[in-house]
Amino acid sequence: MDSSELAAAAVTSLVTALAGASAAAVVNGGGTALTALVRGGLARSPRGQTALTALEADPGDTGARTEAETVLVGEIDTDPDLRTQLSAQVDFSSRSYRDAVVITGSRVSRSHISLGPLTVNNTVGGRVLAGVVVVLAVAVLVLALYGVRQLVVGDDTSAGSRPSQQEPGNTNGDGGGGGAVLTDAQISLAMPQPSDLPRNWTYFSDSGIQAGPDGCRANGNEYEVDGGIVGKDYKTARFILYACPSQSAARAAPPHIAEWSGFDGEGTTPKKLGLPKLGDESTALAYDGSSKRTIVITIREENTVMQLQYKLLSNSKADEDEALARARMAHDRLKSVQAGTLRPY
């Protein structure tokens, strides 16, 4: 697969996830990991970030999609590791939803839909029929999955007869709700890697995995950039992750979802940023210091909390968009690990 084909397939996966238009996007095991790779690749440049922001606002924007593919081709051609990772995820994803049809609004992305002997042409009447067919297909899928579950677990709904749903991590220990508790290897894997950030960013430090309160396990790493570009200021990005045994423990453990006054000694009252919600709950706060700004985005996904501390920023919309892109990248990577689509070697 050449660079343009690979970029087109990768961006298609991102658009499908953003539109939420396909049942395949829900059950696709590789989609989240692939989406994280595409976001990370696009976020490496202002041009790519602009295209990504436009697609997030309107997944049907064909101009933004073309621009995203063009930018990603350039990243693929200059980064062999990105090409390798994208190729592996595109191949995995294609096995999960090969020949799937993406329907966005009233548009069908291909000229016709074939379901066995049934072919629905892309006409006005055909699109209506296509919608009916998709609804029926999803209903059949749900009933089939329910039947399989009944065959596996039977009618006994007592707690003792249910199979554990906490693997591959440890089990939830206190009934506080949440998914699997990440292992140390999964915590390390969930932390953003150098390949997730633009090439001019430098890996600075890793705190290592440490025990936290209420049975939580924590890790943190930090990156810095000056880019060597005139007019580009020095910045740092610190990512912190707390993997807890329950949702209640995750809410109580630092870094807190709730607001707090002051940050790194600045002693300022934070301002809420109107950024989109991420995960089960999230906050986006800006701390305006004497000379520079710090943006803190905290996301809880099930029983794990990921926080980005983006420091030494200007008071600009561009820096807010950049911080959001970094937080989304970290969140996508965490979800991939939690879903088991990104696994420790």
Side-chain angles (χ1 to χ4, degrees):
M1 185 180 295
D2 64 26
S3 298
S4 60
E5 292 173 330
L6 181 57
V11 171
T12 294
S13 177
L14 173 64
V15 170
T16 301
L18 291 174
S22 162
V26 178
V27 298
N28 168 29
T32 305
L34 178 55
T35 299
L37 284 172
V38 179
R39 285 187 187 276
L42 292 176
R44 294 178 178 182
S45 67
R47 182 181 174 188
Q49 181 57 53
T50 298
L52 177 59
T53 301
L55 283 176
E56 288 170 344
D58 179 11
D61 186 338
T62 56
R65 179 171 180 162
T66 300
E67 178 73 352
E69 291 177 2
T70 301
V71 171
L72 200 56
V73 166
E75 297 294 338
I76 290 169
D77 287 339
T78 57
D79 188 342
D81 289 339
L82 179 62
R83 173 188 287 275
T84 299
Q85 293 178 63
L86 282 174
S87 296
Q89 289 298 331
V90 165
D91 178 64
F92 179 85
S93 298
S94 66
R95 292 196 300 271
S96 299
Y97 57 89
R98 182 174 289 120
D99 296 328
V101 176
V102 177
I103 302 175
T104 305
S106 61
R107 294 177 302 196
V108 181
S109 64
R110 299 178 184 174
S111 61
H112 65 273
I113 306 172
S114 295
L115 298 173
L118 173 64
T119 298
V120 181
N121 293 322
N122 187 16
T123 63
V124 174
R127 287 194 293 270
V128 173
L129 180 56
V132 174
V133 169
V134 169
V135 170
L136 290 175
V138 171
V140 170
L141 175 61
V142 171
L143 289 173
L145 291 175
Y146 177 76
V148 170
R149 180 185 179 280
Q150 290 299 100
L151 287 173
V152 173
V153 305
D155 292 328
D156 185 359
T157 58
S158 64
S161 66
R162 292 174 187 164
S164 171
Q165 306 213 356
Q166 303 301 325
E167 295 181 357
N170 303 318
T171 57
N172 181 343
D174 67 358
V181 181
L182 300 184
T183 65
D184 285 359
Q186 289 172 317
I187 292 172
S188 297
L189 185 62
M191 300 303 299
Q193 304 299 304
S195 60
D196 294 323
L197 279 85
R199 286 187 294 274
N200 57 334
W201 282 75
T202 301
Y203 175 78
F204 181 68
S205 66
D206 188 326
S207 67
I209 297 176
Q210 303 173 9
D214 299 325
C216 301
R217 305 282 289 169
N219 197 4
N221 59 19
E222 188 166 346
Y223 296 84
E224 60 183 15
V225 64
D226 60 17
I229 303 172
V230 176
K232 292 292 185 181
D233 292 329
Y234 176 79
K235 301 175 185 177
T236 66
R238 186 183 184 200
F239 299 91
I240 303 172
L241 184 147
Y242 268 75
C244 299
S246 67
Q247 291 187 24
S248 57
R251 291 189 185 99
H256 300 292
I257 286 288
E259 297 180 30
W260 70 93
S261 295
F263 192 83
D264 281 358
E266 294 288 357
T268 58
T269 299
K271 179 181 77 173
K272 287 185 178 181
L273 299 178
L275 301 184
K277 176 188 172 185
L278 297 173
D280 294 324
E281 56 180 326
S282 64
T283 58
L285 306 173
Y287 295 82
D288 296 323
S290 56
S291 59
K292 292 292 183 179
R293 192 185 205 198
T294 296
I295 292 179
V296 180
I297 300 177
T298 309
I299 307 162
R300 182 181 64 79
E301 187 68 50
E302 296 181 347
N303 52 345
T304 302
V305 175
M306 171 71 76
Q307 183 178 83
L308 166 63
Q309 300 171 2
Y310 213 40
K311 304 180 183 180
L312 303 174
L313 308 178
S314 64
N315 187 14
S316 68
K317 182 65 165 57
D319 274 349
E320 288 183 13
D321 290 343
E322 191 174 291
L324 178 60
R326 303 281 182 265
R328 277 181 165 154
M329 172 274 294
H331 180 228
D332 285 342
R333 188 175 185 93
L334 170 61
K335 288 196 299 181
S336 297
V337 173
Q338 288 178 319
T341 55
L342 190 59
R343 300 169 181 264
Y345 291 110

